[in-house]
Amino acid sequence: MTRKTMTLNVGPQHPATHGVLRVEVELDGETILNAKPIVGYLHSGIEKNMEAKTYTQAITMTDRMDYLAPMSNNLVYVMAIEKLMGVEVPLRAQYIRVIMTELTRLNSHLVWLGTHATDIGAMTMLLYTFREREKILQMYEFVSGVRMMSTYFRIGGLAKDVPEGFDTRVIDILDTFPSKIDEYEGLLTENKIWKNRTIGVGKISAEDAIKAGLSGPMLRASGINWDIRKANPYCSYDKFDFEVPLGKNGDTYDRYKCRVAEMRQSLRIIRQALEGLPHGNYIAKDYKVAPPPKVEMLKKMEQLIHHFKFWSEGFSPPEGDVYHSIESPKGEIGCYIVSDGSNKPYRVHFRPPSFINISALNKLVKGHLISDLIAIIGTTDIVLGEVDR
């Protein structure tokens, strides 16, 4: 007897797909036989648009990919160009980059936790996590003038030094957040409903996670100790003492625990970076990649001319290509750039963790009930702006 199956479309206008994602699900009753994620509904052409801009102008495009982790996107792009041109970034700028990207990790994980819990039914979590996220957005605005699309990092360093009072605001976050994370765990970690909806759901083995190209919490929840901050340190991460949280079962519950533990480790890194924050320049004194200081520009004609040419024409790296990757909140984000020697990149391509994570959806959901699909989509922690570049 031939078994009859039903094909169901989840999305692209479904709130729990976290964007315009369509999943074509084949069902036998309520059991998922196959799930095919279909992307492209949000295609923005970000990579191609970056190729029409100077290297500095293109930084603004990176904010729009994973809009919950704008500074991580800034960082991987500018560091790729710095590697291509051999630019040495001042230590102060490196430490500030660490502080801001770890705040970005907190920002991303807070939104993930609030939306993921809401999808499963714990609606209060969204209110709690957005309460803490507001402090991080205020910090973005404090240092860059913008709450979300900050474009704060520049090739060679930062757009400007941190304002007076920066350390006080960071200390406030460091003092406030630990008790709030305790509150999240008090609501969820031993909650019977939460455990029933997440333990054993969306399980993937270490071997399959590696084969799928997963990274970040999606990989570490399966017990694989891989974190680019440790494996290939950048921005002086080798100077900071922190742990890499790991899971054992590779299920939705372990991924939850890994991300919550990462929030605590981010606070630990931020405290060390703030306490050891060195004095000095906030941007490289390499006028090929950075404009002259405003004080000099207002006094010297040569610097005024250079300022004008820098912002109107940009700079031209040598011919060649480069790849650089960092540990974003969602996993490994990499940036590949090809230079043809002109003032605009010939090719820009990103390795987006959201795209890789969602590509493993079929492996994660097979054999589960349709009611588990939403929890599994949530555990992949995707942003469709990063998927559909």
Side-chain angles (χ1 to χ4, degrees):
M1 182 177 177
T2 305
R3 183 175 58 179
K4 289 186 177 181
T5 63
M6 177 175 66
T7 300
L8 179 71
N9 277 299
V10 179
Q13 287 87 24
H14 194 292
T17 59
H18 295 256
V20 279
L21 170 69
R22 175 181 160 211
V23 183
E24 190 179 276
V25 188
E26 184 185 2
L27 297 170
D28 178 11
E30 293 186 34
T31 302
I32 299 172
L33 301 179
N34 289 290
K36 180 182 178 182
I38 301 171
V39 301
Y41 291 90
L42 192 66
H43 181 59
S44 57
I46 285 175
E47 292 178 351
K48 186 56 65 177
N49 280 324
M50 291 176 76
E51 294 164 16
K53 299 182 181 298
T54 66
Y55 284 90
T56 301
Q57 289 171 343
I59 299 174
T60 61
M61 304 297 295
T62 64
D63 293 288
R64 275 80 181 165
M65 293 191 306
D66 180 358
Y67 41 80
L68 301 177
M71 296 213 188
S72 294
N73 304 340
N74 288 172
L75 185 61
V76 70
Y77 173 71
V78 300
M79 288 195 75
I81 299 167
E82 288 161 3
K83 181 188 285 188
L84 179 64
M85 300 187 69
V87 175
E88 188 173 341
V89 179
L91 199 58
R92 179 175 178 81
Q94 291 184 36
Y95 273 54
I96 294 171
R97 284 178 173 184
V98 167
I99 292 171
M100 297 309 299
T101 49
E102 291 306 320
L103 286 173
T104 295
R105 195 178 312 279
L106 286 166
N107 174 35
S108 180
H109 283 357
L110 285 169
V111 176
W112 163 80
L113 181 57
T115 54
H116 182 42
T118 299
D119 289 344
I120 295 177
M123 294 182 65
T124 310
M125 286 303 304
L126 188 68
L127 305 176
Y128 287 4
T129 55
F130 270 62
R131 175 188 61 191
E132 275 67 74
R133 178 176 180 251
E134 180 63 23
K135 287 199 172 190
I136 296 174
L137 295 184
Q138 288 173 359
M139 179 62 77
Y140 280 5
E141 186 174 20
F142 184 62
V143 300
S144 71
V146 184
R147 283 169 58 88
M148 282 186 68
M149 311 304 180
S150 49
T151 318
Y152 180 56
F153 298 157
R154 291 286 190 276
I155 300 156
L158 311 170
K160 55 184 177 181
D161 206 348
V162 291
E164 187 177 343
F166 173 76
D167 54 345
T168 304
R169 286 179 175 242
V170 174
I171 289 169
D172 179 51
I173 290 174
L174 294 173
D175 291 343
T176 303
F177 273 47
S179 64
K180 303 302 182 183
I181 298 173
D182 291 341
E183 198 172 59
Y184 308 154
E185 289 201 278
L187 287 165
L188 296 179
T189 303
E190 295 302 324
N191 185 300
K192 289 182 180 179
I193 299 174
W194 180 257
K195 293 173 81 170
N196 286 338
R197 294 297 308 273
T198 57
I199 292 177
V201 174
K203 192 171 182 178
I204 188 168
S205 67
E207 182 182 358
D208 286 339
I210 293 171
K211 286 180 180 178
L214 299 180
S215 58
M218 290 289 291
L219 179 66
R220 293 191 286 270
S222 297
I224 303 299
N225 190 353
W226 176 258
D227 187 313
I228 298 173
R229 295 172 297 175
K230 289 279 192 182
N232 299 306
Y234 55 93
C235 278
S236 301
Y237 267 107
D238 53 329
K239 293 182 170 65
F240 306 121
D241 179 33
F242 64 99
E243 298 170 6
V244 178
L246 301 176
K248 295 180 180 178
N249 302 313
D251 58 9
T252 298
Y253 187 68
D254 271 14
R255 288 189 281 272
Y256 153 74
K257 290 200 296 183
C258 277
R259 290 188 177 107
V260 171
E262 281 188 12
M263 291 166 70
R264 297 188 188 279
Q265 294 303 316
S266 288
L267 292 172
R268 183 176 171 185
I269 294 168
I270 293 168
R271 188 176 294 277
Q272 293 174 66
L274 185 65
E275 290 174 351
L277 184 62
H279 297 287
N281 296 321
Y282 64 88
I283 196 164
K285 285 190 172 181
D286 184 341
Y287 291 166
K288 292 179 182 177
V289 298
K294 191 171 183 179
V295 175
E296 294 183 18
M297 181 197 74
L298 294 173
K299 293 180 178 179
K300 299 178 182 178
M301 179 56 70
E302 295 85 353
Q303 303 292 30
L304 179 62
I305 293 170
H306 179 72
H307 173 89
F308 174 77
K309 290 179 71 65
F310 177 85
W311 289 113
S312 60
E313 299 175 8
F315 56 86
S316 301
E319 290 186 24
D321 62 341
V322 67
Y323 177 80
H324 185 72
S325 63
I326 67 167
E327 189 69 31
S328 86
K330 294 169 177 60
E332 177 183 347
I333 182 169
C335 181
Y336 176 66
I337 297 176
V338 179
S339 168
D340 60 0
S342 71
N343 64 338
K344 298 174 183 177
Y346 175 76
R347 183 71 176 98
V348 179
H349 178 66
F350 288 91
R351 182 220 183 267
S354 289
F355 182 81
I356 306 297
N357 291 351
I358 199 62
S359 69
L361 184 65
N362 191 42
K363 184 71 177 177
L364 294 169
V365 303
K366 265 189 177 181
H368 286 291
L369 298 177
I370 184 65
S371 56
D372 292 324
L373 176 63
I374 300 307
I376 296 172
I377 291 175
T379 196
T380 57
D381 189 18
I382 57 168
V383 164
L384 266 295
E386 187 178 76
V387 174
D388 290 342
R389 302 164 324 287

